[in-house]
């Protein structure tokens, strides 16, 4: 009785406090509004957001093609004037302009030390120093020397070479060294499984692999399955000596620095590529079957860089933090655009990114705190985790703190939707969250997968950043469309870039037509200079997915989009993800997963639909903390994560949680999984269940969990 009274009283005082804050905020609004109106001119922001960004240039009943209305910006125009059409010319050009400006930075690791954890276990942690920088002239010299060093090792122009390494300064130096000798680079994800790595190396017939200290041991077992490889170059570690013993006889292993030293004294000249020469064979992570090599020419890369520079405004003090895989087209092109515009890149890893990252020693700062970046690239998976982290932090606070945060969040979103900024509120509440990434990040670019509107809004609001979402594929050299920085909407991917057109084509089977109301819908086809030459050694697949029309190359994406009246694209479906249930309803598995992934209990999810059944089921990798909290609510205590995952009671409880979350997301009843299996293992690329870009490999997941799928449908 007393407890209920106490709770009632606490609720009363919280409501009173929030009511008082609302009243104060209202008075402040009345006093400050005229000043903000004059200083911020919100009507301009609203006009910029609503302006038409692309128009239809041709249409009939089966297709409609859109082109941007935006003109090329300064960097794009200067590239045209200087005839920059290859990556070698691009780097020579920027070296002359930015010469002694910081270019690539690597954080010093001073030592690796044992740290005792509260659990009594001991973990190895890094004691880290400052960033060490190389300027543009130094990087250009190292790249030139590395390219000549490769020639000294016997590599010829036009001969493929593999880069199989984590994101770091040497990766970029190696790539530009290859471009200077017209040696195409084959990019392979560092997280790809052995079979995938062997496939990429064997298919491209490389004799030389560039790897790192960390990944070199992998080749001891791998060399038997890659018989053509004769030479391995490894990027050295800052602390540890690399063990090069016990490798197969006849394999030549050379340190990265030695290749550069050999190149410094070399007599070889550079070999310039033509715009149509292959610069990169980039292996897509292969969500269906074996990875495919996408042929990207110098012209493709330069086109996307021009498009990026037309969208994102660059400031003199900008700094990018680079930590996503450079083997992914989005990160490679974003970093290349930074080099083009003179933005320094400081390298990081997910293990050292923030103060609480797993390899950062207590009392030592994470990379973001030291670098203080202004720009960063990211993917929805990371943003969803940050979003859940913010929610967990808020929910673990007192009732008053929760109510305060809810009020502040609602207040900010209301005013930003009207075109205003909220500097006082940001300073008092939201800047504390922004300090996680060093406190200076002003722009985040998200790519690789669709970003949920809720996550988009929360990150933008809480981290006080412009969060720009883009759309593109490896086959379109990343940027087919990029959000305008003034766009105030969520869940859309922007207008066509200045370098390509976007066409919607009827897909009758799914009911997506350009004549649909209120917006034209259809399969997205991308055409322009950024569209790839095709797939490596797959002429049939190339002819199926690519075509030429009026001197322009086009690619059929398989994604379904709708175009809004302001010329901005929204991704609404994917052809391969569509399942027709027994009652005739179509379910977009990808759309359902994107919505349910924002549910706190879900770490990862794969929805499965059997066309002979009336409902879908789901395989869920649960969040351990939230699963334990849910177990407590069910009266289940003192049990392990493994036991919770096999509990029928917990399965039913999770189904209920998903159904409640789905209702908030406005999913249809038939779209919501009627049964779940809780998976104990976290899906990772080395398990072969997700790609290196963490996209689901549906066929492999289905094969692994077929027994569970049968059980769910039987129940």
């Amino acid at each position: 009785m007393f407890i209920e009274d106490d709770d009632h009283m606490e609720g009363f005082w919280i409501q009173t406090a929030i009511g008082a804050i609302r009243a104060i905020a209202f008075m402040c609004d009345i006093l400050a509004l005229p000043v903000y109106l004059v200083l911020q001119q919100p009507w301009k922001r609203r006009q910029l957001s609503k302006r038409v960004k692309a128009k239809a240039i041709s249409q009939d009943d089966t297709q409609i093609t859109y082109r941007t209305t935006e003109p090329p910006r300064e960097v794009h125009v200067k590239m045209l004037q200087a005839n920059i059409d290859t990556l070698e010319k691009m780097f020579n050009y920027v070296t002359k302009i930015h010469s002694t400006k910081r270019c690539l930075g690597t954080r010093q690791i001073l030592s690796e030390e044992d740290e005792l954890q509260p659990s009594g276990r001991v973990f190895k942690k890094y004691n880290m120093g400052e960033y060490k920088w190389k300027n543009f002239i130094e990087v250009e010299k190292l790249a030139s020397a590395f390219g000549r060093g490769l020639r000294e090792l016997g590599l010829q122009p036009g001969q493929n070479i593999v880069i199989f390494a984590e994101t770091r300064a040497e990766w970029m130096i190696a790539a530009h060294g290859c471009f200077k000798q017209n040696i195409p680079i084959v990019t392979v994800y560092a997280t790809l499984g052995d079979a995938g790595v062997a496939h990429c190396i064997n298919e491209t017939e490389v004799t030389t692999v560039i790897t790192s200290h960390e990944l070199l041991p992998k080749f001891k077992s791998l060399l038997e399955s890659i018989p053509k490889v004769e030479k391995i170059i490894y990027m050295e570690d800052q602390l540890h000596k690399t063990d090069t013993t016990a490798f197969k006889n006849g394999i030549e292993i050379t340190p990265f620095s030695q290749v550069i030293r050999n190149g410094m004294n070399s007599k070889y000249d550079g070999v310039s590529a033509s715009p149509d020469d292959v610069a990169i064979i980039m292996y897509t992570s292969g969500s269906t079957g074996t990875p495919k090599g996408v042929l990207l020419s110098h012209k493709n890369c330069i086109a996307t860089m021009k498009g990026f520079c037309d969208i994102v405004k660059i400031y003199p003090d900008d700094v990018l933090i680079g930590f996503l895989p450079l083997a992914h087209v989005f990160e490679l092109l974003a970093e290349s655009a930074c080099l083009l515009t003179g933005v320094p890149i400081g390298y990081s890893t997910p293990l050292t990114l923030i103060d609480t990252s797993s390899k950062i020693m207590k009392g030592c700062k994470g990379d973001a705190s030291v670098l203080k970046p202004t720009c960063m690239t990211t993917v929805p998976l990371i943003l969803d985790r940050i979003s859940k982290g913010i929610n967990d932090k808020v929910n673990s606070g007192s009732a008053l703190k929760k109510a305060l945060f809810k009020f502040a969040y609602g207040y900010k979103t209301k005013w930003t939707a009207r075109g205003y900024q909220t500097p006082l509120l940001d300073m008092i509440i939201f800047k504390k969250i922004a300090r996680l990434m060093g406190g200076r990040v002003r722009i985040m670019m998200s790519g690789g997968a669709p970003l949920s509107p809720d996550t988009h809004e929360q990150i933008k609001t809480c981290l006080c950043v412009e969060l720009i979402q883009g759309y593109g594929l490896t086959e379109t050299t990343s940027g087919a469309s990029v959000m305008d920085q003034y766009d105030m909407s969520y869940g859309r991917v922007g207008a066509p870039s200045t370098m390509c057109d976007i066409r919607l084509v009827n897909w009758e089977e799914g009911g997506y037509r350009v004549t649909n109301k209120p917006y034209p819908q259809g399969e997205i086809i991308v055409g322009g200079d950024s569209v790839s030459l095709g797939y490596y050694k797959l002429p049939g697949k190339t002819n199926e997915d690519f075509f030429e029309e009026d001197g322009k190359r086009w690619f059929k994406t398989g994604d379904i989009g709708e175009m809004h009246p302001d010329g901005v694209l929204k991704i609404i479906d994917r052809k391969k993800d569509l399942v027709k249930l027994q009652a005739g309803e179509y379910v977009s598995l990808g759309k359902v997963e994107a919505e349910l992934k924002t549910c706190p209990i879900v770490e990862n999810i794969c929805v499965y639909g059997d066309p002979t059944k009336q409902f879908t089921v789901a395989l869920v990798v649960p969040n351990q903390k939230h699963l334990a909290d849910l177990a407590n609510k069910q009266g289940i205590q003192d049990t392990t994560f493994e036991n919770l995952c096999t509990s029928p009671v917990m399965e039913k409880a999770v189904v209920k949680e998903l159904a409640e979350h789905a209702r908030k997301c406005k999913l249809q009843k038939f779209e919501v999984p009627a049964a779940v299996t809780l998976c104990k293992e976290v899906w990772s690329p080395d398990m072969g269940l997700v790609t290196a870009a963490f996209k689901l490999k549906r066929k492999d997941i289905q094969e692994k969990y077929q027994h569970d799928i049968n059980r769910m449908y039987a129940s």
Side-chain angles (χ1 to χ4, degrees):
M1 181 70 188
F2 290 122
I3 292 169
E4 281 181 24
D5 281 350
D6 285 350
D7 286 349
H8 184 73
M9 285 302 292
E10 187 188 22
F12 170 75
W13 285 116
I14 288 168
Q15 289 304 316
T16 305
I18 296 298
I21 290 167
R22 279 185 202 282
I24 293 165
F26 180 68
M27 291 304 294
C28 289
D29 289 348
I30 291 170
L31 295 169
L33 193 60
V35 179
Y36 279 2
L37 198 65
V38 172
L39 292 178
Q40 296 187 8
Q41 301 178 332
W43 65 89
K44 287 188 178 175
R45 175 88 200 215
R46 293 196 297 268
Q47 283 167 355
L48 284 168
S49 178
K50 288 175 184 168
R51 79 186 191 284
V52 173
K53 300 160 195 81
K55 286 183 176 173
I57 55 165
S58 69
Q59 67 183 103
D60 56 34
D61 286 347
T62 61
Q63 61 182 40
I64 182 166
T65 306
Y66 289 87
R67 183 172 292 166
T68 181
T69 56
E70 299 295 304
R73 284 191 182 169
E74 185 186 9
V75 175
H76 185 157
V77 172
K78 282 183 175 172
M79 287 178 80
L80 292 171
Q81 288 167 345
N83 191 30
I84 308 299
D85 54 9
T86 67
L87 290 160
E88 180 210 5
K89 284 184 187 174
M90 183 279 288
F91 204 71
N92 290 344
Y93 169 74
V94 296
T95 301
K96 283 177 190 157
I97 296 171
H98 301 298
S99 55
T100 56
K101 189 177 180 184
R102 295 185 309 173
C103 182
L104 305 180
T106 302
R107 185 127 183 243
Q108 277 187 300
I109 302 171
L110 304 175
S111 60
E112 189 176 44
E113 297 176 21
D114 291 338
E115 186 177 276
L116 185 66
Q117 304 304 303
S119 62
R121 295 175 71 189
V122 173
F123 289 141
K124 290 205 173 295
K125 304 269 184 168
Y126 289 144
N127 175 24
M128 302 188 80
E130 294 299 315
Y131 269 87
K132 288 278 184 194
W133 291 92
K134 290 178 172 60
N135 65 32
F136 277 82
I137 290 173
E138 289 166 334
V139 171
E140 197 278 330
K141 272 186 183 164
L142 290 169
S144 294
F146 187 81
R148 291 195 300 270
L150 291 178
R151 298 293 305 279
E152 291 290 338
L153 281 174
L155 261 92
Q156 298 302 315
Q159 188 180 348
N160 299 333
I161 189 168
V162 158
I163 302 185
F164 175 64
E166 309 85 350
T167 295
R168 52 197 283 173
E170 291 91 337
W171 201 110
M172 202 52 112
I173 289 165
H176 279 280
C178 293
F179 300 148
K180 284 172 179 293
Q181 295 293 338
N182 197 14
I183 294 171
I185 61 169
V186 179
T187 65
V188 182
Y189 282 98
T191 49
L192 202 59
D194 285 4
V197 174
H199 166 76
C200 301
I201 290 172
N202 288 332
E203 188 171 73
T204 50
E205 300 177 52
V206 300
T207 57
T208 305
V209 172
I210 303 166
T211 188
S212 65
H213 165 88
E214 290 81 6
L215 293 170
L216 184 63
K218 197 180 180 88
F219 285 90
K220 285 182 179 172
S221 56
L222 204 55
L223 282 168
E224 295 301 328
S225 55
I226 43 173
K228 280 198 164 73
V229 172
E230 300 162 355
K231 299 178 179 75
I232 299 176
I233 298 162
Y234 67 90
M235 303 167 186
E236 296 101 314
D237 186 71
Q238 289 193 44
L239 296 179
H240 305 289
K241 193 174 184 302
T242 306
D243 178 15
T244 57
T245 59
F247 279 83
K248 195 172 90 173
N249 283 343
I251 298 294
E252 192 180 326
I253 300 174
T254 313
F256 192 86
S257 58
Q258 184 61 52
V259 178
I260 287 174
R261 280 196 294 275
N262 295 349
M264 291 284 187
N265 306 316
S266 172
K267 297 286 188 287
Y268 281 106
D269 291 324
V271 177
S272 295
S274 78
D276 292 317
D277 282 339
V278 174
I280 304 160
I281 302 172
M282 183 163 277
Y283 274 85
T284 63
S285 36
S287 54
T288 52
T290 319
K292 299 188 291 286
V294 179
L295 298 164
L296 301 179
S297 68
H298 286 265
K299 180 169 87 175
N300 294 153
C301 297
I302 294 295
T304 292
M305 286 158 69
K306 287 173 182 170
F308 277 174
C309 292
D310 289 335
I311 286 290
V312 182
K313 197 172 180 193
I314 298 299
Y315 294 95
D317 66 340
D318 273 332
V319 180
L320 179 94
I321 188 159
F323 66 97
L324 293 183
L326 272 166
H328 190 288
V329 70
F330 171 54
E331 179 69 11
L332 180 57
L333 269 296
E335 288 195 23
S336 297
C338 284
L339 293 180
L340 173 60
T341 50
V343 174
I345 304 164
Y347 286 99
S348 177
T349 76
L351 303 178
T352 60
L353 186 62
I354 58 174
D355 297 356
T356 53
S357 291
S358 60
K359 285 294 271 185
I360 294 290
M361 207 171 82
K362 208 170 264 163
C364 192
K365 290 196 178 298
D367 298 337
S369 298
V370 175
L371 185 67
K372 294 189 169 27
T374 59
C375 317
M376 66 181 285
T377 48
T378 184
V379 290
L381 181 82
I382 292 170
L383 295 173
D384 285 339
R385 284 181 183 163
I386 294 172
S387 176
K388 283 178 183 173
I390 293 168
N391 291 337
D392 289 348
K393 185 89 174 152
V394 170
N395 292 330
S396 65
S398 66
L400 179 62
K401 276 187 179 171
K402 268 193 268 191
L404 265 172
F405 183 83
K406 192 178 173 188
F407 165 75
Y409 188 89
Y411 181 89
K412 181 171 179 177
T413 52
K414 178 183 78 177
W415 284 106
T416 48
R418 295 171 182 173
Y420 287 90
Q421 291 167 319
T422 55
L424 279 174
L425 196 63
D426 291 348
M427 199 163 60
I428 297 164
I429 292 180
F430 295 113
K431 284 292 184 189
K432 289 173 185 169
I433 303 169
R435 275 188 218 122
L436 269 177
M437 291 307 303
R440 287 182 68 228
V441 175
R442 65 172 186 86
I443 193 163
M444 292 170 105
M445 290 156 285
S446 175
L451 178 62
S452 90
D454 288 348
T455 301
H456 194 165
E457 183 180 59
Q458 189 179 32
I459 297 293
K460 205 171 164 179
T461 303
C462 294
L463 266 61
C464 309
V465 294
E466 292 295 340
L467 177 51
I468 290 177
Q469 188 177 190
Y471 167 73
L473 306 95
T474 309
E475 290 88 344
T476 64
T477 327
S478 188
S481 72
V482 188
M483 263 183 85
D484 183 80
Q485 68 186 84
Y486 299 109
D487 194 337
M488 285 153 57
S489 65
Y490 300 105
R492 307 193 300 168
V493 295
S497 91
T498 50
M499 296 308 296
C500 65
D501 294 340
I502 287 181
R503 178 179 293 172
L504 299 182
V505 176
N506 287 358
W507 184 42
E508 297 294 344
E509 189 189 340
Y512 294 112
R513 300 178 187 91
V514 298
T515 52
N516 285 0
K517 300 289 183 241
Y519 309 122
Q521 298 176 326
E523 182 185 357
I524 300 165
I525 316 284
V526 180
D529 283 354
S530 57
V531 174
S532 156
L533 300 167
Y535 296 116
Y536 187 69
K537 291 186 178 175
L538 292 171
K541 186 71 180 152
T542 298
N543 292 334
E544 189 184 320
D545 292 348
F546 295 85
F547 65 94
E548 298 274 341
E549 185 184 287
D550 300 330
K552 189 174 278 191
R553 194 154 177 77
W554 294 80
F555 174 69
K556 302 170 189 172
T557 67
D559 291 318
I560 307 297
E562 67 178 25
M563 196 65 89
H564 291 181
D566 59 352
V568 173
L569 181 68
K570 184 177 185 182
I571 310 297
I572 54 171
D573 214 333
R574 178 153 180 80
K575 280 168 84 169
K576 288 176 187 164
D577 287 354
L578 207 66
V579 173
K580 189 180 187 183
L581 297 179
Q582 194 183 30
E585 302 108 332
Y586 280 100
V587 178
S588 167
L589 304 178
K591 183 190 89 173
V592 175
E593 286 157 358
E595 296 290 6
L596 295 183
K597 227 180 244 180
T598 60
C599 180
I601 198 87
V602 176
E603 200 67 42
N604 210 341
I605 184 168
C606 178
V607 178
Y608 179 80
D610 184 334
T612 66
K613 301 289 190 289
Q614 292 191 347
F615 59 92
T616 63
V617 297
L619 299 153
V620 176
V621 178
N623 178 288
Q624 294 201 22
K625 182 187 176 299
H626 286 287
L627 192 69
D629 291 345
L630 188 60
N632 282 334
K633 286 180 193 169
Q634 306 301 313
I636 302 172
Q637 289 171 332
D638 303 327
T639 186
T640 62
F641 177 66
E642 284 73 17
N643 289 344
L644 290 179
C645 285
T646 54
S647 160
V649 176
M650 290 310 296
E651 283 182 353
K652 284 195 179 108
V654 170
V655 168
K656 201 173 165 192
E657 289 281 309
L658 292 182
E660 281 175 21
H661 190 78
R663 211 168 23 250
K664 287 180 206 160
C665 297
K666 296 186 171 60
L667 289 178
Q668 300 293 324
K669 200 165 180 214
F670 62 82
E671 293 178 305
V672 185
V676 301
T677 291
L678 302 177
C679 307
K680 299 185 275 282
E681 306 145 306
V682 174
W683 299 338
S684 59
D686 49 5
M687 283 175 70
L689 301 181
V690 292
T691 70
F694 288 92
K695 290 175 186 168
L696 300 178
K697 293 175 108 169
R698 291 190 189 280
K699 193 162 158 286
D700 297 304
I701 291 172
Q702 185 190 334
E703 282 172 10
K704 181 172 170 66
Y705 293 101
Q706 191 61 59
H707 172 74
D708 292 297
I709 291 167
N710 296 344
R711 176 184 66 82
M712 287 188 280
Y713 275 120
S715 68

